[in-house]
Amino acid sequence: MRQTWRWFGPKDLVSIDDMMQAGVQGVVSALHHVPTGAVWSADEIARRRQEVAVRGDGQPSGLRWEVVESLPVSEEIKKRTGNWRAHIAAYKTSLRHLAAAGIEVICYNFMPVLDWTRTDLAWRVAHGGTCMRFDLYDFAAFDIHILQRPGAAEDHAGPVAEEALRRFVAMSEARKQELAANVAFGLPGAAEQLSLADVRAHLAEYGDIDADRLRRHFIAFLEEVIPVAEQLGIRMCCHPDDPPVPLLGLPRIVSTEADYRLLLEAVDSPANGVTLCTGSLGARADNDLPGMMQRLGPRVHFLHLRNVRREEPSLFGSFHEAEHLGGNTDMVAVLAEVVKEEARRKAEGRSDWSIPFRPDHGQDILDDLTRRAQPGYPAIGRLKGLAELRGIATALTHPEFGLLARA
């Protein structure tokens, strides 16, 4: 398992020096400042590679940009409207530039309008730290009463709508504004930030796009880019929906193992793969994460290892970002399947036998609370998670006592 760390570029409050002290082996980054749909130029890629390669004092870091997260898919491509053909051509050109720079793993997603969605970016937990949270009832209050989306009241079940109204009536204006900003927050450093008017406009454009149609658009995108990726030696890996359920009346088509199987079989290529995010998928009670790693393993090209605590017994409800070993997902069981998959790949002679992973998200603890880095990406909270994951992996791969030694 290759230990990596997500970095949002020079403006990231967690620096290259910080991640070196965490002991990571590689860097996950992207050109968030480049508008979606535009070409990632060779010069911009080279600049980011150089930024990764040096410490704060100008000395070599010994680190390399190894995984792209994310090369974004434009809304035009997802809807197949406007400049979608030009955007696909630009995507292919970006892949060629990245391959020329030696980058082989590209993470992306196909979530319409919003990327990951949370109602709270700094929710206080029992030990005094903070984490990100998705509160189903606050989200319904946003959807029905703040965004005022047509059909929102019908989409939320009776008790949810009733509690959403109660909360909305009790909300201060400051909380209403905070909630709206949190839901539309998007990724730190992204070129685009959405207003409520932007969200409403995007939703209107998806009015006649259901799950089947969006899936057809996704497969058509894969049919265009995967042959290019395969020729270049690039492994594309789709990140799941976060949360993995329909939101705001929008379809979600990468939420379950069945969703992944359909997409992998539709364009059957080793270049068409999976980003297995244990946090996103773990928010649904019916997703079996160890089983998914076992069954989808040959096509898992990247791992996001984080945990969530589901707060209700239903299939899907409120949840918060838990400690890496403290949520509903059995992380030891997941990593055991990763170790088995790596051993299988190594026996096959695959050059990509070591799967890159990063400690995803993390609770803000200790100095994180005053550093105030990007939500979900604290220094110490992620370092704690990395240390825990590293410990599990070390135990599982121990030559005498580990999993493979007992096999």
Side-chain angles (χ1 to χ4, degrees), residues 121 205 280 323 348:
L121 304 182
E205 292 169 358
S280 298
E323 295 172 307
E348 285 183 356

Side-chain angles (χ1 to χ4, degrees), residues 24-40:
V24 301
Q25 298 165 309
V27 176
V28 178
S29 193
L31 304 180
H32 298 296
H33 58 286
V34 176
T36 300
V39 169
W40 285 17

Side-chain angles (χ1 to χ4, degrees), residues 73-80 84 87-88 217 221:
V73 180
S74 72
E75 293 301 313
E76 286 87 343
I77 291 174
K78 295 169 191 171
K79 295 177 294 186
R80 292 177 79 82
W84 68 271
H87 288 186
I88 288 180
H217 292 181
F221 167 74

